[in-house]
Amino acid sequence: MKITIITIHPGLLESPFGHSIMKRAIDKGKAEIELVNLRDYAQGKHRHVDDSPYGGGAGMVMMIEPVWNCLNALKKAVDFDEVIYLSPDGERFDQPMANRLSTLKRICLLCGHYKGIDERIREHLVTREVSIGDYVLSGGELAAAVLADAVVRLLPGVLNDETSALSDSFQDGLLAPPVYTRPSSFQGWRVPEVLLSGNEKNIVEWRHASALERTRQRRPGLLE
Ligand code: SAH
């Protein structure tokens, strides 16, 4: 899968893809992350990508022209399945959306800044708008990193044991059960006996019951 990210701060996105599972996915060729600097498609000596809002008011608005130029240039090489604008008022990102996006081959993520982007970009140039939650970030980069991480780890062959993505929270409609590792007792706080028993059937049952209980307590909506 190829994920192209259009940003005015490519540096913000280097670290999230330079470590751990994301780095391994890229090194193994399972995912390709392309960072595109929007400023390269802006005009004039100062390469402006933003301007003051029509009608007045505080803040700057990202201009349509650099985005149009950038997308047209990229589309010569790649036919995007989706062009996604990260936006606090977009459709809420969740695990089912991550699953759907992970089946695509090429997606483009557009990061906004300042007061947001010219509405005509949203109307005419993007195919989908996604929010990572009901709060406002200063730019779309962290949201793009969150989306890309959640999607890339689902790609076949990215996690060593493919069942480990399947047993994560939300994937089977439940939250994940508690997990423990050595030592079996710390400060008198003991790991549940069943996990030490070696009885596979009991362990599977305990995990399922714990997942159900945790979901009932913390996200009862998932059980409906
Ligand atoms: N004035 C806008 C917020 C702009 S925040 C409003 O009130 O809706 C600047 C940029 O950060 C946005 O263009 C968007 O790309 C990104 N952003 C902020 N919060 C986000 C969120 N919750 N999810 C996804 N992107 C977000």
Side-chain angles (χ1 to χ4, degrees):
M1 170 183 227
K2 177 166 177 166
I3 302 179
T4 301
I5 306 179
I6 302 175
T7 165
I8 55 170
H9 294 300
L12 265 178
L13 283 160
E14 276 157 21
S15 178
F17 301 109
H19 304 273
S20 182
I21 293 171
M22 292 304 110
K23 179 174 189 316
R24 276 210 304 279
I26 294 164
D27 291 347
K28 284 201 274 181
K30 306 290 177 194
E32 182 186 347
I33 307 286
E34 179 187 30
L35 302 179
V36 176
N37 192 336
L38 184 63
R39 240 175 253 287
D40 293 343
Y41 297 89
Q43 310 287 320
K45 195 164 72 152
H46 298 293
R47 297 195 171 265
H48 278 307
V49 291
D50 59 307
D51 209 333
S52 47
Y54 276 123
M60 299 295 267
V61 176
M62 280 173 65
M63 300 157 74
I64 190 167
E65 224 178 339
V67 176
W68 167 265
N69 291 340
C70 179
L71 280 172
N72 281 343
L74 293 173
K75 282 176 184 168
K76 283 189 187 136
V78 191
D79 190 13
F80 295 117
D81 299 316
E82 297 270 13
V83 177
I84 299 173
Y85 171 51
L86 283 313
S87 180
D89 59 5
E91 189 184 346
R92 183 80 71 85
F93 189 58
D94 58 10
Q95 195 63 37
M97 197 196 292
N99 290 341
R100 285 198 301 278
L101 293 176
S102 74
T103 65
L104 304 178
K105 290 278 167 267
R106 292 155 296 255
I107 59 176
C108 179
L109 306 179
L110 174 62
C111 305
H113 256 274
Y114 317 114
K115 280 311 265 181
I117 65 177
D118 190 304
E119 187 68 17
R120 292 166 293 183
I121 302 172
R122 305 180 60 167
E123 284 170 2
H124 302 290
L125 305 184
V126 307
T127 60
R128 186 184 273 266
E129 299 184 324
V130 174
S131 162
I132 64 160
D134 285 353
Y135 40 81
V136 177
L137 303 164
S138 43
E141 286 75 13
L142 296 180
V146 165
L147 185 152
D149 183 309
V151 168
V152 166
R153 68 194 293 285
L154 295 173
L155 300 176
V158 168
L159 297 183
N160 294 335
D161 177 359
E162 285 199 34
T163 59
S164 72
L166 296 177
S167 62
D168 281 332
S169 288
F170 308 111
Q171 218 41 299
D172 51 3
L174 295 178
L175 299 182
V179 291
Y180 300 86
T181 187
R182 272 177 269 277
S184 60
S185 177
F186 180 77
Q187 305 276 340
W189 302 321
R190 292 195 51 78
V191 170
E193 267 331 300
V194 58
L195 296 178
L196 310 173
S197 69
N199 184 324
E200 194 61 32
K201 181 169 164 285
N202 288 355
I203 292 172
V204 169
E205 277 172 16
W206 180 87
R207 287 198 169 133
H208 184 66
S210 304
L212 264 177
E213 180 56 19
R214 182 155 280 197
T215 310
R216 196 185 58 71
Q217 281 174 0
R218 301 185 182 201
R219 293 285 192 287
L222 289 175
L223 298 173
E224 278 153 21

